[in-house]
Amino acid sequence: MPALLSVELFEIVRVVLVRRAKTAGLAGTVWTAAEQSAWQQHGTLTLLVLALNNNSLLMRLWDTSSVREPIVKILPWFEHASGQITAMCLSPRAEWLACVCRNHMIYLVPCYTLLTGGRPKVSNWSLQDITAINQAEKQSLASCVAWWETHDNRQIIIIGSKSGRIVFIDLVLRQEVCSIQVLSSVASIELLGMTSAKATYLLIRVEEGQTWRMILESPSEVLVSDGSLDWSARDTAAEFVSCLDGDKMPEHFYPTQFKLLHVDVKLSSQQRKGQLFMAVHDLITQRFELWNADMDLQDQALFTYKLLRRASMLQFTETVTFVVCQEDKQPPSLHVLSSQLAASIPATNEPPQEEPGSSDTVLQSFTLPSDEKLLGIYLCHQPSDGNSETASIEQDQISHSVLDSCFVVTSQGVYHCRQKMSPEDIFLEMATRCDTSDTTDKLGIALQLDICGLYQIAGERRLARNEYSHAMRLFRLANCPSMKLVKMFIEKGRISEIMSYLEMVLSDQDTQSPGDPKALADCLLHCYVQQILEVRSERELHAKLVEKLSQFVNDNFAYDDQSAMKLLARNGLVDLTLQVAKARAKVGEATDLLVKQGSLQLRAQHAASLTSTDHALVMATCYDGVLIRCMQPDDLVSTLLSQPDLIPRCLTHLLSMLSTLSQQSLLRIVRFFDPSRSAVRFLLSRSTSKKPRRYSTGSIASLSSLALNEAQEMFVEPMMDEYIEFFLLSVLALRMKRTMEVPLDCSFVLPTIDRELAAVSAQSVGEVRHRPTTPTAIVSMLPLSCGQSHAAAVLQGDVYTWGQTQNGRLEVGLTPMVACWLSSC
């Protein structure tokens, strides 16, 4: 058996056995055997008749749609030599048998009535006994016969004789209506009927091998005999005409020879997808071709198939082809070929060399008895509810393919090659067993199955058995919709498998994923979050997952940013939320989400990740700077000093936190706000001495302007003296931190500044001489005056100056006085 099938798709059983028994024949005592066979299928009704050499007929009637056993009956025949059957055929409706005997008589046998007792649809003859019709042509014996039922239901018998004469006999009128002559003895005749086109052709093959074609019916004309010499249009739509005999027959009704075909070519009629084609079988090259029914062989074949060596008989279906091969000194063999694979092999003019059983197109092979003579092979169409070639798969409900079978008739019996297993079951068995999909795919192609649907069912079965890796492989082979696959695995709780699958799908840029990339990316994001939440207690694994998710949100742009930020913020993944915000320029939305989710405590690295970019202003203004206000004091100092643009908006809040700052943070503030340093100068240059704008309520326009500005929370730049005040208070706070042994408690209140002195000009205080006496206590208010480049203050009778020192302006050289003071603290 070929490697393609490890189990049996078909089986062959003997349904009729002709027992070997000695019988008296014309040539003396012989063994009982079948000499001729006739087959006909009409719908689900099949009728097989064997003519035995013991002067009897064996009839077998079988309804393929029924579970009942076939009806078999043996009918005695004439024992005289003149009653020997030379040719026989069955009616198209599988009801009557026509036998042509040596005495040139035609006998009609009511097989359907004899077997079932029912009445046939065509009942023009006796139902109780055989009907004898005298044949006018008695010059030679009949070699073949065919039953032609015309489109207007005339019953015509066509007899081919060894003399080359073909006779047409009307069975109802019981008379010969016309005849034609071909060059040599007629070997076989076959009717090729096109029901849809209302056309009928007669294929005539002579002993020398030539093949002839004769038009019997066509859409415009028909050759029938109705006893009239006149041409008449019996069907005006089709413009049928009739004629009586050969003398009146138009020339185009006479047989024409296929001159392009050599003698080793057989013609027959074959069906494909419900359409009838003319089949051309080259016995030398084993090319099998299907042509249009008009038989114009000057064109190209519609379909070409490569058969096996020494193929002598065949029956073709769209899915499988049954081929009988007869090798020299070898018993005959029956091979089941894949029609699809046979069509994919280039057909050449060279005969095939490989053994029939070794061909890649062979599904199965059977050896027939060597001592039995082959009489014929007949195709049996199996009924099905739908298209038998395709499996309809829906939610693990498989509509199994029903394949056609064949009957092989030999001299000693009848063998039925029938379907044993469903092709879908074989595919599923191979899919769940094989580690490679090549063999399984080849089987699916060979039998024209729904490969993706079957792989999906195989994956679902593996998943039901908790074989997750195998199930994932089968789902991928099935090109299963990604979201459906994700849903099935999530229902099983297999998050890790889904994450690996989604990472592979989203990272593969060469192939299109079977799903929406946005939906897949969102799903992977949810899986990451779920895994991170589950492994929070495992630091290393948690950190690894966070790192992978961080890389994903920064490298992938398919996920929905809004839903991603909501998901991350809801689960407390603040840093990742801000990463998404920065990657998608949605910092405002992210900070809004963090506030709504209550994630107000930003760690230093979170704030740094925002303020290190262009999003510092958004962070400071969101909900009136609530994120800034909720930061730890020392973290706030680091954030503000790294982004001085935030200081004007946060100066008031920072002032309220001086008592809670560490010495290190206070020292950093003092150094930064030292007016003699360049770092603070840009803030002083932005400062203003103007008061905030006040709005009147005397007009509607003013009221609208007020509402608009209040809604937008218009920011007013701090004045210069506010910066100086903040600096001095910072200095004092640092002094106290250093002199006190314990940290300041919450009741500590820094002294305030009398701002009435802030209007003093810079020149009036710029020349005040500084006395470098280090203060020991701070007990009184600070008279203060400041200018653009200088400032001065009086503290317990001592004057302190700071600012620019060029040209001895402060009378202390080039070193800021405050630096000397801070160094002594």
Side-chain angles (χ1 to χ4, degrees), residues 166-411:
I166 299 176
V167 181
F168 294 79
I169 299 176
D170 190 319
L171 295 177
V172 177
L173 299 178
R174 303 188 183 188
Q175 66 179 14
E176 178 182 330
V177 291
C178 66
S179 62
I180 58 173
Q181 182 70 44
V182 293
L183 297 180
S184 61
S185 175
V186 179
S188 65
I189 57 176
E190 182 177 0
L191 288 170
L192 182 59
M194 302 297 296
T195 304
S196 58
K198 293 185 177 181
T200 305
Y201 301 89
L202 181 65
L203 298 179
I204 307 167
R205 183 177 177 85
V206 298
E207 292 291 348
E208 285 76 6
Q210 294 87 0
T211 303
W212 300 68
R213 177 189 67 175
M214 182 177 181
I215 300 176
L216 301 183
E217 290 176 314
S218 70
S220 60
E221 53 198 10
V222 58
L223 173 63
V224 297
S225 300
D226 58 0
S228 172
L229 293 175
D230 298 329
W231 292 88
S232 62
R234 303 190 61 86
D235 186 344
T236 56
E239 297 183 357
F240 283 3
V241 295
S242 61
C243 64
L244 176 61
D245 54 21
D247 295 334
K248 298 293 183 178
M249 188 186 304
E251 293 184 358
H252 56 269
F253 279 121
Y254 283 96
T256 57
Q257 182 182 356
F258 289 107
K259 297 182 179 180
L260 298 179
L261 301 178
H262 55 80
V263 295
D264 292 315
V265 171
K266 287 185 178 181
L267 298 183
S268 62
S269 60
Q270 298 287 349
Q271 286 190 352
R272 186 179 189 273
K273 290 186 176 180
Q275 295 183 1
L276 199 61
F277 296 88
M278 185 185 69
V280 179
H281 178 199
D282 192 321
L283 298 176
I284 297 179
T285 64
Q286 294 302 334
R287 290 168 60 101
F288 183 74
E289 301 173 342
L290 296 181
W291 296 75
N292 279 327
D294 58 7
M295 303 184 185
D296 187 3
L297 298 183
Q298 295 182 356
D299 297 331
Q300 290 186 351
L302 299 178
F303 306 97
T304 302
Y305 303 87
K306 188 67 174 179
L307 300 180
L308 306 178
R309 187 177 67 182
R310 298 299 180 95
S312 57
M313 300 180 184
L314 66 89
Q315 286 294 336
F316 171 85
T317 70
E318 185 184 0
T319 304
V320 296
T321 300
F322 302 97
V323 179
V324 175
C325 298
Q326 289 183 303
E327 293 282 337
D328 294 337
K329 299 181 181 180
Q330 295 291 333
S333 56
L334 173 65
H335 304 276
V336 183
L337 275 63
S338 165
S339 300
Q340 181 69 24
L341 297 181
S344 63
I345 299 178
T348 63
N349 292 326
E350 298 295 331
Q353 300 298 325
E354 70 275 7
E355 294 293 331
S358 63
S359 174
D360 292 336
T361 63
V362 175
L363 299 176
Q364 281 182 265
S365 298
F366 304 94
T367 301
L368 300 174
S370 58
D371 57 344
E372 298 182 11
K373 178 183 178 182
L374 288 173
L375 299 182
I377 178 173
Y378 303 105
L379 183 65
C380 180
H381 299 288
Q382 301 294 330
S384 60
D385 295 334
N387 186 2
S388 63
E389 309 297 342
T390 304
S392 175
I393 300 170
E394 184 176 346
Q395 298 181 352
D396 205 8
Q397 298 298 320
I398 307 176
S399 178
H400 296 277
S401 298
V402 180
L403 304 179
D404 292 333
S405 61
C406 78
F407 284 84
V408 179
V409 181
T410 69
S411 59

Side-chain angles (χ1 to χ4, degrees), residues 480-512:
C480 178
S482 296
M483 293 310 299
K484 181 178 180 180
L485 188 152
V486 168
K487 180 180 178 181
M488 290 187 292
F489 271 77
I490 287 180
E491 290 176 351
K492 290 285 187 177
R494 309 303 298 183
I495 305 298
S496 58
E497 285 85 354
I498 285 301
M499 291 178 62
S500 300
Y501 169 74
L502 292 176
E503 289 172 353
M504 180 274 299
V505 170
L506 293 173
S507 62
D508 192 354
Q509 303 295 333
D510 297 332
T511 60
Q512 294 183 352

Side-chain angles (χ1 to χ4, degrees), residues 520-539:
L520 299 180
D522 290 341
C523 181
L524 179 56
L525 189 64
H526 279 76
C527 292
Y528 269 123
V529 173
Q530 178 68 24
Q531 290 288 83
I532 289 174
L533 296 178
E534 290 179 357
V535 299
R536 277 187 171 178
S537 59
E538 305 177 25
R539 292 186 177 182

Side-chain angles (χ1 to χ4, degrees), residues 19-91:
R19 296 186 181 276
R20 296 179 181 272
K22 292 184 178 181
T23 182
L26 297 178
T29 302
V30 295
W31 293 98
T32 303
E35 294 181 333
Q36 296 186 61
S37 63
W39 165 275
Q40 187 62 52
Q41 181 174 8
H42 181 72
T44 61
L45 194 65
T46 62
L47 179 59
L48 173 65
V49 178
L50 299 180
L52 306 180
N53 60 359
N54 62 353
N55 302 320
S56 62
L57 295 177
L58 188 151
M59 298 180 292
R60 182 180 188 271
L61 184 67
W62 179 42
D63 189 348
T64 58
S65 63
S66 175
V67 295
R68 295 180 180 179
E69 291 293 327
I71 303 174
V72 180
K73 188 172 184 179
I74 296 179
L75 178 67
W77 197 248
F78 300 105
E79 295 184 359
H80 195 273
S82 61
Q84 182 185 5
I85 299 174
T86 58
M88 64 181 186
C89 68
L90 293 169
S91 65

